[in-house]
Amino acid sequence: MLPWILALLSALLTCTLATVYLWWFKRRRTEMQLGLQALAGMHWREFSTLIKRMLREQRGLRELQDPSEESREPSSDFLLSDGPNTWRVSCKHGLAYRIGTAAVNELGAAARLAGAKGGMLITEGRVERDGLGAAEKQAVEVIDGPRLWPLLQPYLPADVETRVRAIARHEALRRIAIAALASVTLGLLVGLGLQGLRPEQADSVPAPAVAPVAPPTARPVPTPAAPESAANAPAPMVAAAAAQNGDDTRSNPNPDAATLDRYQAELARALAGQSGIASGVWLTRQTLAINRTGELETVWPRVCQEVLRYPALRNVRVQLNARPGVDEPVRWRQCATY
């Protein structure tokens, strides 16, 4: 039960972390990318209008010349002023822009030529590291893609913003569903892996020593009267006949319950008399525990020698306990298989 509880907790933790990342971080990044693509799809005049509106409402900058007056040569560069100070603004419209030192130096020179305090470089693309270094020297403020999107987002048309949010939300939910399925799969793998480790751990932990139990005393079986011919036979012949009768009885592979109990009692007594074996105890019908005092390599052949005398007991599971005072694992073996 414990492995599956750990598997459930790992699946829930993985799914929770993936959901937080995909919804709060990945969704916003996707929304920014889609928004910048929507801005890049506008005509440059619409983009410039959004820039002027954003700067007017957020920074109080107004265009020096009349906005209603169209210039003969359209340009994405214009002058904005807050009264005492003037800035030269350059809009680089498009996602493909990777602006470096040259464009920044050019804007800085144009701003100084126009008598402006500084310049602003605005683009949906990106400004490279050398361009950022040059911007500090040229008194040029850089507003590229990641910084531009949150500034222009409130000024997008309502249908464009709704479409961008819907697509980003749908993509985030799809990724969360995939992450949830992957978390369930991970939980199943963790549970199966932990379940598979349990038998190995159980095999390596020494079992508690089993106290020897005296085998039940076999009831004396009345011996039928020997025929006159057997009584008069020589002693060696009588002993051989008795041994042959005992072997015939012991070789029965399917004895009844009473006979099987007798076989087990005989085997326990025979093992207790072997060197290196303290006792043999039957834990179950199919499990024989050996409390040994000798080395495993010495004791095991003697155990099998006695067990194989009984065909009905040849497939029992033998538990070889550790020697007293010796730190060694319990071993399980079989003398014969089916």
Side-chain angles (χ1 to χ4, degrees):
M1 189 62 183
L2 180 60
W4 293 112
I5 294 177
L6 295 177
L8 177 61
L9 293 177
S10 64
L12 290 176
L13 178 61
T14 304
C15 185
T16 301
L17 293 177
T19 301
V20 170
Y21 171 75
L22 293 174
W23 184 257
W24 293 105
F25 297 98
K26 190 67 175 178
R27 178 182 62 86
R28 295 181 179 180
R29 186 181 304 172
T30 303
E31 186 176 313
M32 180 192 70
Q33 294 172 351
L34 294 174
L36 291 176
Q37 292 174 6
L39 289 173
M42 293 181 175
H43 191 271
W44 71 270
R45 289 182 181 273
E46 297 175 347
F47 180 71
S48 298
T49 302
L50 287 180
I51 295 297
K52 293 175 184 178
R53 181 182 173 187
M54 181 267 294
L55 294 176
R56 182 174 66 252
E57 295 184 2
Q58 295 185 11
R59 301 196 181 186
L61 300 178
R62 299 184 179 275
E63 194 171 7
L64 289 181
Q65 57 181 333
D66 188 1
S68 63
E69 181 182 353
E70 296 184 359
S71 60
R72 295 180 180 178
E73 295 183 1
S75 175
S76 58
D77 294 357
F78 42 85
L79 289 173
L80 296 180
S81 174
D82 61 355
N85 300 316
T86 304
W87 282 268
R88 179 86 176 184
V89 180
S90 177
C91 297
K92 303 295 184 182
H93 183 44
L95 285 173
Y97 277 104
R98 296 295 181 266
I99 299 174
T101 306
V104 175
N105 290 337
E106 182 182 353
L107 177 58
R112 289 191 297 271
L113 185 62
K117 181 179 180 179
M120 289 186 186
L121 182 59
I122 301 177
T123 180
E124 301 103 320
R126 288 189 178 273
V127 179
E128 303 293 345
R129 182 176 299 179
D130 57 345
L132 294 175
E136 295 180 0
K137 299 177 182 179
Q138 297 288 341
V140 173
E141 180 181 359
V142 173
I143 304 177
D144 57 359
R147 294 183 56 199
L148 180 63
W149 166 245
L151 296 176
L152 290 185
Q153 183 179 3
Y155 304 101
L156 284 177
D159 58 335
V160 175
E161 185 178 5
T162 302
R163 185 174 68 254
V164 168
R165 289 182 180 273
I167 296 175
R169 186 181 299 108
H170 179 270
E171 183 67 15
L173 292 176
R174 185 183 68 85
R175 290 173 177 172
I176 289 174
I178 296 174
L181 182 61
S183 299
V184 172
T185 304
L186 176 63
L188 290 175
L189 293 177
V190 171
L192 293 175
L194 294 177
Q195 191 75 13
L197 291 176
R198 295 186 65 185
E200 298 178 3
Q201 295 175 353
D203 185 70
S204 63
V205 176
V210 180
V213 180
T217 305
R219 296 181 179 179
V221 180
T223 305
E228 183 177 357
S229 59
N232 296 328
M237 295 178 59
V238 173
Q244 183 178 2
N245 291 337
D247 290 340
D248 292 341
T249 303
R250 186 185 303 166
S251 63
N252 182 9
N254 297 306
D256 55 20
T259 305
L260 188 60
D261 290 340
R262 180 165 58 84
Y263 285 174
Q264 290 181 337
E266 291 177 359
L267 179 58
R269 287 196 298 270
L271 290 172
Q274 296 290 331
S275 174
I277 300 176
S279 62
V281 181
W282 288 94
L283 303 179
T284 65
R285 181 70 77 179
Q286 290 295 325
T287 304
L288 173 62
I290 302 298
N291 297 315
R292 59 189 178 89
T293 58
E295 295 287 343
L296 182 64
E297 292 75 10
T298 305
V299 170
W300 177 241
R302 296 172 182 172
V303 172
C304 284
Q305 181 180 1
E306 295 297 331
V307 170
L308 294 177
R309 295 180 185 272
Y310 299 85
L313 303 177
R314 63 188 292 123
N315 298 319
V316 297
R317 189 171 183 238
V318 180
Q319 174 180 318
L320 298 163
N321 292 330
R323 290 172 292 174
V326 180
D327 185 13
E328 55 186 355
V330 177
R331 305 292 185 184
W332 287 270
R333 293 187 179 180
Q334 278 183 298
C335 294
T337 57
Y338 290 97

